[in-house]
Structure formats: structure tokens, C-alpha cells
Amino acid sequence: MKTNNIRLVKKLIGVLCIANLLGLVSCSDEWDNHYIPSEANASSLWEGIIAESDLSNFAKVLKATGFDQKLSGSQTYSVFALTNDGLSDSQADSLVSEFLKQKEAGVRENDNTVVRQFIQNHVSMYRHPVSSLTNDSINMMNGKFEVLTSSTIGDQSFVASNQLHSNGVLFKIGRKVQYFPNIFEYLGLDSDLDSVYHFLNSFSTYEFVESASVPGGIVDGQTIYLDSVMILRNKLLNTLGYINNEDSTYWMLAPNNAEWTRLLNEYRPYFNYDNTVLNRDSMQETNVRLAILNGTVFSRTLNPDNAFRDSAISTVAHPYLIRKILGESPYYLYYHPFDNDGIFIGTENLVCSNGMLLKANDFRINKRQTFYQTIKVEGENLASQDTIIDAEQPLVVRDVQSNNTFYDCISNNAFAEIIASNTSDDPNHFPSPTVLYSVQGLLSNVGYDIYVVMAPAQAYDPNASEEDLLPNKVLCTLLYTNQDAKLQQRRLGISTTTPGIVDTLKVASNLKFPTCFFGLAKSNVKLRIQSNVGRNETSIYSTNMRIDCIIFKPNEM
């Protein structure tokens, strides 16, 4: 009995499956008949548009901008055409006039506001027919996302829908789809922010996307495309933040044109390159502008509401663990940004499609929070060492163990030891161990206080010899180049250390360099540290040096 029941259930399931399959085939046939163009609607979208008398003004703009050709090709689109009730003859003429004006001025097609804000805001690639169940978000040609339902696109209702053509679907709407600019676009639309926009946009290029383009044949071995799809790329925004991306949410703090000019004038002297640097003027102008904008963009993914009020972390800030490893101050990170003296206070807040643009008439990001940085060179960093003389062997790296009293008191828990060479074979020569460090990234016309941090022998060996427990006496000399790249040399003086402690020697105050080395692969600034112990002073001073780090700190004055 049990077996018969099982057989009966299996038969019923088989019948239901067949019925369902037949139903699916039937539904599929009905769908295809409705949504795939037949001979009756084999005309192109462009032919369908010009055949509708109430779309004549929309057609006028399409033809003037060259979109009649696109909508006549084989690439598929969904067009949400504006009827004459929503686009008058004079409005259409005004759009055409503006398009031609920008075209004559050399504006690229995809940057032309008529194309981007009007035409592409009413056209989406691929077919998007609607049904009673439709509730989707579709991507328009300008990258904007609009909600598509059975009866609306965005906030506009259909006058007509699902008019099928050989290369897409035509809809009619009575009022235009509102264009909602993203942060990048808004910068270009606001005349008070166009200085920022022009700089950012100078890094923009349009990249051909072969997979989305329509090939039309091969001529002389080269593929000819009937419709070429181009996508905006901007290499600067890869670092600064994707403020042109509709898929992400950002805040950007942008100085208005007056503040932009003030900051350029203030920051320009910090980026004065010497006369031998290739393209020195353009390099200066680019880096001055980057100095303003780096640290002004904030991803809301990295700055959720519950943390944003405590600290705003910009897209170029190093994560906490990297800052800890580098011993770096929290640059490009701003505490309590909404407090009375915070960076977001006093701004005009402009809502954009992908976040918020904060227009600053009083730009409150302090240069000491961004590019105006303390430069640190680790003593044990072999790449920074230029020359070592009178040493028994190349520089020795000493690690501070976790059980040592000086653990976490030494930068990066490591230091360099320079051991004097043996002089027993040459009684006429007394060694003066010397090491030369290259210093990268220094700015021009910034007053730096310079420090040499020396480690005690006990940081490596708690049982150090009496000789190693003696203090050091060192002579520091600075080498750098002037505007004509001529080598300059400046003696900074002699300093002595206090044994048994991590001793920070201030060897120069408010010292300014005439030229900038920021962003250069090779720096011409070198600090020479030399043991200055005489033959008769070996019972007082040690000739072995232990260098923790070198610090160039902008003067607080």
C-alpha cells in the first residue's frame, strides 16, 4: 500500500512538472511576442520618434546633438522621450543653441551639459520594457540611476510606454526627468567652485569600452564601430575619492574661488623647485593644488554617523595600524569636525546624488593637518644612508626587545649602531665614524627644527660595557642645493648626549631651504652625523654612535 502511494505521488509530480513546463513555454512565447519586435514594429527608435508629432521638439534636440544616428543603429536603448507639452519649441531651440555654443568652444560631447544633463538623462542603454511587476533601478547613459516602475521613470509618469522598435523601447513622458548632479558634476555647475573643478577635470579622460560598443565591420584590418561607448576615467579621483561615482557616498569640503586663490598664494612658496628640475613650474602648480585638495574627501562607508562626529578620516589618510608602524602623526584626519572650531563649520551644504558638497567660504583645514608635515628618517633605514666612513663594518641594525626597559621608547623599536674602526694598524689616524642620511620630501621656505635622536647602549644590551655607556659628542653638518642646484654646506654645531636615556638633540632651529624636494625621486638634502671625539677624549666620550632617528619638524612659530 505504501509503495502504491509513492507511485501515485510520483505520477502527480510528473503531471505537474509537464504542466508547468507547458505553462513556461506558453508564457515565454507570449513574452517574446510582446517584447521582441515583429515586422510590424521593425522601425528604429529614431524612426519611431519622428513619426510621433508630439515628440517633434525632442527630436529636434536629438538631431542637433547627433543622437539621431545613435538611435538609428543596432545598439539597443530605452528612450524616455519628452512630449511637446514638457518641451516647447523655444526650449528646444535654446538647448540646441547651448549645445552648439559649447561644441564650438571645444567642449567634449560627454562633457556638454545638453548631452549629459538632458539627452543622456532620458536615455538608458538596453531594453527596459515594463510590466505590472516592474520596480527596478536602471542606469541612464550619464551614469545616473532612476527608479523604473510599471508607470513611471523617476518621478515622471508615462504618457505612453512599451513602444517596441528594432533597437529598443520608446516611452513618452510629459515632464523632463530631473537631473541630479553628483559632487564632481556640481563643482562644474557652480561658478563659485569652478577653480576646483577645472583642476580636477584636467585629469579626466574618456576610455573606449569595446565590450559595450557596437562593431560595424572591418575596414583595412580595423574594426569600425557603429556606436562607440566611452566611459569617464579620472586618475586623480582614484586617489582623492570617487566623487564622480553614483554607486558610492562621499562628502567633499571644497574652497570657493576666493579661498582657492588665497590658499594658492599662501602655499606656492613651499613648492619652489630648483632650476634643473624638469617642468618645475607645472610641477609647482600641480603640487600646490594637490596640497589644498588632498584630505578634503570623505567616504561615508569609512565614516559612519556614529564615528563621524568624533573624527573625520579622509580618503588619503593612512589607516591606524600603518600610522602606528610608521610612527606617523594622524595627517588627513580631523578630530571633532562639527565642533565650533571644526572643519565642517560655516560651510554651505549642498546635497548631491552621491553625497554632500560642503562649500567653504572659510577653508578651515590647517596645513599642519595635511601636507605641512614632520619628516622622520629612521636611523636603521638602509635606503636613507648615503655614506659611512671610519666604521668597522657597515651600519648594524639593533632591535629593541619587548622585555627591554626602552621598548616602545625607541622609534620603530630599532636603531642604527655605527662602530668605530680599529686603528691599531695606523697610529697616525684616529677614526671619526660618520654617516650621511638623505632626507626626502622637504618643502621650501619652511622653517624646520632639526633633531637627532640617539639611543642608549642599554636599549640593545642591558650589560653594555663601560666604554659604550659613555656619552657621544657629535658634529652635524647639513648639505643641500640652492636655486641653481649648487651644493651648499652648513655646519650645525657640536652636541653631546646624556648616557642612559633616549636623548633628543636639537641641532638646528627654524632652518629654511631655498628649494623644494617634495615628490622628487632623489633628494639633495643630506644630514651628516660625525663622531667628534678627539684622541685624548676616549675616556670621556664613546666613538660608537647609536642613531634612533632624524626629525625635521616645521617650526611652531
Side-chain angles (χ1 to χ4, degrees), residues 79-216:
V79 179
F80 302 88
L82 194 56
T83 66
N84 293 347
D85 290 337
L87 181 67
S88 68
D89 189 57
S90 62
Q91 289 173 326
D93 288 339
S94 179
L95 288 169
V96 171
S97 176
E98 180 60 27
F99 170 80
L100 295 175
K101 177 182 174 182
Q102 293 184 38
K103 183 178 180 180
E104 291 170 3
V107 176
R108 293 173 292 196
E109 178 182 299
N110 283 333
D111 287 335
N112 193 298
T113 58
V114 175
V115 172
R116 183 162 185 80
Q117 298 177 27
F118 182 71
I119 298 296
Q120 292 183 343
N121 209 45
H122 289 84
V123 180
S124 176
M125 293 187 66
Y126 312 118
R127 290 185 176 91
H128 296 290
V130 298
S131 72
S132 59
L133 301 178
T134 300
N135 188 9
D136 297 322
S137 178
I138 65 171
N139 197 2
M140 311 306 287
M141 283 192 71
N142 58 8
K144 302 296 178 184
F145 288 94
E146 295 292 346
V147 175
L148 179 68
T149 72
S150 61
S151 59
T152 62
I153 175 71
D155 56 356
Q156 300 305 323
S157 298
F158 297 141
V159 174
S161 62
N162 286 350
Q163 295 183 7
L164 304 179
H165 293 275
S166 61
N167 60 344
V169 189
L170 178 63
F171 298 81
K172 292 184 186 181
I173 54 177
R175 301 181 66 181
K176 71 177 182 179
V177 177
Q178 290 300 311
Y179 174 79
F180 196 18
N182 59 41
I183 294 172
F184 182 68
E185 292 167 335
Y186 199 104
L187 289 168
L189 297 175
D190 190 329
S191 61
D192 202 26
L193 293 170
D194 56 9
S195 293
V196 174
Y197 175 76
H198 289 318
F199 174 66
L200 294 178
N201 196 46
S202 67
F203 292 85
S204 293
T205 57
Y206 281 95
E207 181 180 297
F208 171 65
V209 183
E210 183 177 5
S211 60
S213 301
V214 180

Side-chain angles (χ1 to χ4, degrees), residues 432-436 452 454 472-479 489-497 505 507 527-533 545 547:
S432 298
T434 302
V435 61
L436 199 64
V452 175
M454 306 292 282
N472 289 125
K473 184 168 72 167
V474 296
L475 168 65
C476 294
T477 305
L478 193 67
L479 293 83
Q489 185 168 303
R490 181 166 178 170
R491 178 186 167 108
L492 301 181
I494 298 171
S495 303
T496 59
T497 64
L505 307 176
V507 299
L527 182 66
R528 184 166 64 212
I529 306 172
Q530 179 181 7
S531 174
N532 199 54
V533 179
M545 298 186 296
I547 302 172

Side-chain angles (χ1 to χ4, degrees), residues 440-471:
Q440 303 282 348
L442 293 168
L443 302 172
S444 54
N445 300 301
V446 172
Y448 286 99
D449 294 339
I450 304 176
Y451 302 87
V452 175
V453 183
M454 306 292 282
Q458 298 95 319
Y460 172 69
D461 182 5
N463 302 311
S465 65
E466 289 186 13
E467 180 184 353
D468 280 336
L469 295 178
L470 294 174

